[in-house]
């Protein structure tokens, strides 16, 4: 649990996960008990099978994730390269010896060297702990790379659907404005409109047309971005996926209630918090080697040598002996090193607390933004419904000669404007949903390998 209180930090004690005092939920949670989100695959909450398919591909093909995985392997290899307390160094050699016409005399030796370091202060153990911490940092960085990919891909996808919707609405606007211009031209013929009215209608039509190319370009750019995020060159996605992306779909709508509460434990899933915690771990582990520099080092060295060949009878030679290495004098530099290690540990602990506070702020703000976006989207949907109702009523009035064609065109344009506003708010709603889950560190694939995490 992240929840708890700690008054200080005894750097002489073995490492334990740092604690931080804060509430078990956030201030804007409507319910008394926070909701435990089942959001390991949070993007499925957008209810879009095409997005699910893209993410499944990106999880295996994204190049940034592949790079991060290799760094994990490198960190593990570095950890495994730390030598043990005892080191054996076998060696063997053979040769022929002879003088002038005398037959050669074979000779050979085999040797096993032994080096063993007495480690009463746990220096090697601390180095292993530090190396383990670096492995876990690399794992957290892999998770961070995956979160960044999910953030970028999900945002690119919802932006694509929004841009495609804007292209559709822009074409409808052009069609309605063209109809308005035809109406004005007919009115000019009937002498019920002027050339000024026609010029204004033509200007509006040209304005609507000028917006379309940029929106179509945004759709093309979105398709290219999605391709790269899924590990493909632009324009080289499999035809099935590419066809689904080009086809018109509804904008994704999140399925998360806006009054959700977030258990504080879920913040532990964030890679930046795990990285900061592991850095504190490494700093604590670094105190042991620094402190050991003040004391003598005792080691045992030796070798066993066997004479394997030759005319003489085989013999065995061996030697063993202790070696004591005393610390450098004067010891002021070593003591300064210990003080520096303690300062690094305190700085790492302060950095961890700052990271947690920043995470709380980001999640709290993400919750507020999600709540605002959900509320605004609901109001915009209601406005769009009412404008469509107005358009229907206007058409009914036109059939009874109680409204003009200009009134119907105006009602159509009002519906398009309302749908454009709804599309923008639906985009923001989806983006705030994505941001909230990323701020929580959701979809952490390495959850089970890290202790102390909530699911």
């Amino acid at each position: 649990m992240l929840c708890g209180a700690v008054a200080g930090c005894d750097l002489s004690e073995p490492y334990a996960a740092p604690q931080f005092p804060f509430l078990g939920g956030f201030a804007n949670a409507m319910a008394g008990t926070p909701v435990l989100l089942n959001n390991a695959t949070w993007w499925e909450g957008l209810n879009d099978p095409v997005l699910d398919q893209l993410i499944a591909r990106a999880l295996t093909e994204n190049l940034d994730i592949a790079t991060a995985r290799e760094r994990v392997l490198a960190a593990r290899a570095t950890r495994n390269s730390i030598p043990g307390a005892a080191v054996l160094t076998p060696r063997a050699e053979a040769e022929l010896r002879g003088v002038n016409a005398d037959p050669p005399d074979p000779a050979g030796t085999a040797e096993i060297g032994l080096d063993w370091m007495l480690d009463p202060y746990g220096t090697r153990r601390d180095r292993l702990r530090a190396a383990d911490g670096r492995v876990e940092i690399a794992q957290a960085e892999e998770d961070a790379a995956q979160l960044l990919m999910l953030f970028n891909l999900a945002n690119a996808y919802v932006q694509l659907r929004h841009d495609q919707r804007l292209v559709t609405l822009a074409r409808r606007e052009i069609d309605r404005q063209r109809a308005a211009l035809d109406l004005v031209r007919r009115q000019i013929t009937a002498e019920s409109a002027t050339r000024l009215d026609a010029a204004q209608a033509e200007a509006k039509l040209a304005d609507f047309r000028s917006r379309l190319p940029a929106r179509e370009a945004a759709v093309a750019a979105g398709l290219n971005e999605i391709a790269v995020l899924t590990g493909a060159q632009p324009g080289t996605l499999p035809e099935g996926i590419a066809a689904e992306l080009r086809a018109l779909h509804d904008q994704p709508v999140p399925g998360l209630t806006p009054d959700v509460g977030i258990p504080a434990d879920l913040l532990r899933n964030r890679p930046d918090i795990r990285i900061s915690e592991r850095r504190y771990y490494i700093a604590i582990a670094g105190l042991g080697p620094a402190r050991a520099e003040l004391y003598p080092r005792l080691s045992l060295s030796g070798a066993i040598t066997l004479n394997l060949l030759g005319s003489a009878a085989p013999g065995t030679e061996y030697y063993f002996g202790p070696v004591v290495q005393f610390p450098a004098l004067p010891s002021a530099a070593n003591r300064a090193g210990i003080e520096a290690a303690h300062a690094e540990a305190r700085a790492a602990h302060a950095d961890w607390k700052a990271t947690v506070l920043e995470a709380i702020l980001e999640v709290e703000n993400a919750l507020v933004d999600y709540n605002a976006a959900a509320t605004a989207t609901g109001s915009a949907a209601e406005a769009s419904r009412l404008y469509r109702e107005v358009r229907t009523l206007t058409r009914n009035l036109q059939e009874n000669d109680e409204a003009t064609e200009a009134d119907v065109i105006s009602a159509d344009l009002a519906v398009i404007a309302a749908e454009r506003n709804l599309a923008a708010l639906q985009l923001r709603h989806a983006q705030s949903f994505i941001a909230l889950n990323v701020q929580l560190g959701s979809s952490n694939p390495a959850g089970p390998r890290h202790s102390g995490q909530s699911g």
Side-chain angles (χ1 to χ4, degrees):
M1 289 282 291
L2 285 180
C3 300
V6 129
C9 175
D10 182 359
L11 298 181
S12 66
E13 293 298 319
Y15 171 77
Q19 303 294 305
F20 197 88
F22 58 84
L23 297 178
F26 292 101
N28 68 337
M30 301 297 292
T33 302
V35 178
L36 184 60
L37 297 179
N38 182 17
N39 57 343
T41 54
W42 54 265
W43 56 88
E44 294 177 356
L46 290 168
N47 304 308
D48 194 302
V50 179
L51 176 60
D52 298 344
Q53 188 177 2
L54 287 170
I55 288 178
R57 174 184 171 87
L59 288 173
T60 59
E61 301 296 333
N62 182 268
L63 298 179
D64 291 332
I65 295 177
T67 300
R69 285 174 184 152
E70 293 301 323
R71 289 177 178 150
V72 172
L73 295 178
R76 287 174 178 162
T78 300
R79 191 266 184 211
N80 293 335
S81 69
I82 295 176
V87 178
L88 294 177
T89 53
R91 185 178 67 89
E93 64 179 43
E95 61 182 11
L96 292 175
R97 298 175 182 174
V99 178
N100 297 329
D102 294 339
D105 185 17
T109 60
E111 179 179 303
I112 299 177
L114 169 67
D115 286 293
W116 175 72
M117 175 70 71
L118 181 63
D119 190 16
Y121 310 110
T123 301
R124 180 178 180 275
R125 177 199 61 207
D126 290 334
R127 286 174 179 164
L128 287 172
R129 289 170 60 192
D132 287 336
R134 283 186 281 272
V135 170
E136 292 181 357
I137 285 177
Q139 290 171 339
E141 288 172 344
E142 179 187 349
D143 299 343
Q146 174 167 306
L147 268 182
L148 181 60
M149 181 279 295
L150 291 171
F151 177 78
N152 290 334
L153 181 55
N155 271 312
Y157 182 79
V158 298
Q159 184 70 52
L160 173 68
R161 293 309 186 195
H162 170 260
D163 292 339
Q164 289 174 327
R165 178 65 177 155
L166 290 188
V167 167
T168 300
L169 293 175
R171 288 170 178 164
R172 282 174 51 189
E173 282 179 323
I174 290 172
D175 290 342
R176 297 315 298 163
Q177 192 57 39
R178 187 179 290 113
L181 178 59
D182 292 341
L183 174 62
V184 170
R185 287 170 175 168
R186 290 196 303 270
Q187 290 174 340
I188 290 176
T189 302
E191 298 183 350
S192 59
T194 65
R195 175 58 192 158
L196 175 61
D197 296 324
Q200 290 174 334
E202 288 172 354
K204 285 185 178 179
L205 178 59
D207 183 41
F208 288 150
R209 283 174 172 168
S210 70
R211 301 174 189 174
L212 183 59
R215 289 171 178 169
E216 290 176 334
V219 170
L223 290 170
N224 290 338
E225 182 180 4
I226 288 172
V228 171
L229 287 170
T230 54
Q233 295 182 17
T236 62
L237 279 172
E239 184 54 35
I241 297 178
E244 288 285 358
L245 287 174
R246 290 191 297 267
L248 292 179
H249 286 261
D250 292 335
Q251 289 181 247
V253 178
L256 181 67
T257 58
D259 61 347
V260 64
I262 304 296
D265 259 9
L266 284 185
L267 290 181
R268 202 71 173 280
N269 288 330
R270 286 176 56 123
D272 58 340
I273 289 181
R274 298 207 320 272
I275 289 172
S276 182
E277 182 180 315
R278 294 297 97 180
R279 284 176 177 161
Y280 174 63
Y281 182 174
I282 292 171
I284 291 294
L287 292 175
R291 191 179 294 112
E293 292 296 328
L294 292 177
Y295 301 98
R297 298 180 184 178
L298 175 64
S299 62
L300 180 66
S301 295
I304 299 176
T305 302
L306 252 62
N307 296 314
L308 300 178
L309 301 172
S311 57
T316 301
E317 300 177 359
Y318 64 89
Y319 68 90
F320 291 101
V323 177
V324 180
Q325 179 180 345
F326 293 94
L329 296 175
S331 63
N334 290 338
R335 295 187 181 279
I338 294 178
E339 292 177 7
H342 276 268
E344 289 289 337
R346 289 192 296 269
H349 189 257
D351 179 71
W352 179 86
K353 292 197 293 185
T355 303
V356 171
L357 284 176
E358 183 68 20
I360 294 172
L361 174 64
E362 290 175 354
V363 172
E364 182 69 26
N365 288 345
L367 280 168
V368 171
D369 187 59
Y370 181 77
N371 184 46
T375 302
T377 301
S379 298
E382 178 64 10
S384 179
R385 184 190 67 79
L386 291 172
Y387 274 114
R388 289 195 298 272
E389 183 178 344
V390 168
R391 180 180 61 185
T392 300
L393 293 173
T394 303
R395 287 174 176 171
N396 293 338
L397 290 173
Q398 183 193 31
E399 293 176 358
N400 297 325
D401 296 327
E402 296 177 8
T404 66
E405 185 175 351
D407 294 329
V408 174
I409 292 174
S410 177
D412 276 339
L413 292 175
V415 169
I416 293 172
E419 289 182 353
R420 192 189 310 116
N421 182 54
L422 176 59
L425 288 172
Q426 285 178 331
L427 172 63
R428 183 188 168 197
H429 190 194
Q431 288 173 333
S432 64
F433 173 81
I434 294 167
L436 173 59
N437 282 281
V438 170
Q439 298 294 1
L440 287 170
S442 304
S443 76
N444 168 25
R449 74 188 176 207
H450 298 287
S451 61
Q453 294 183 9
S454 291

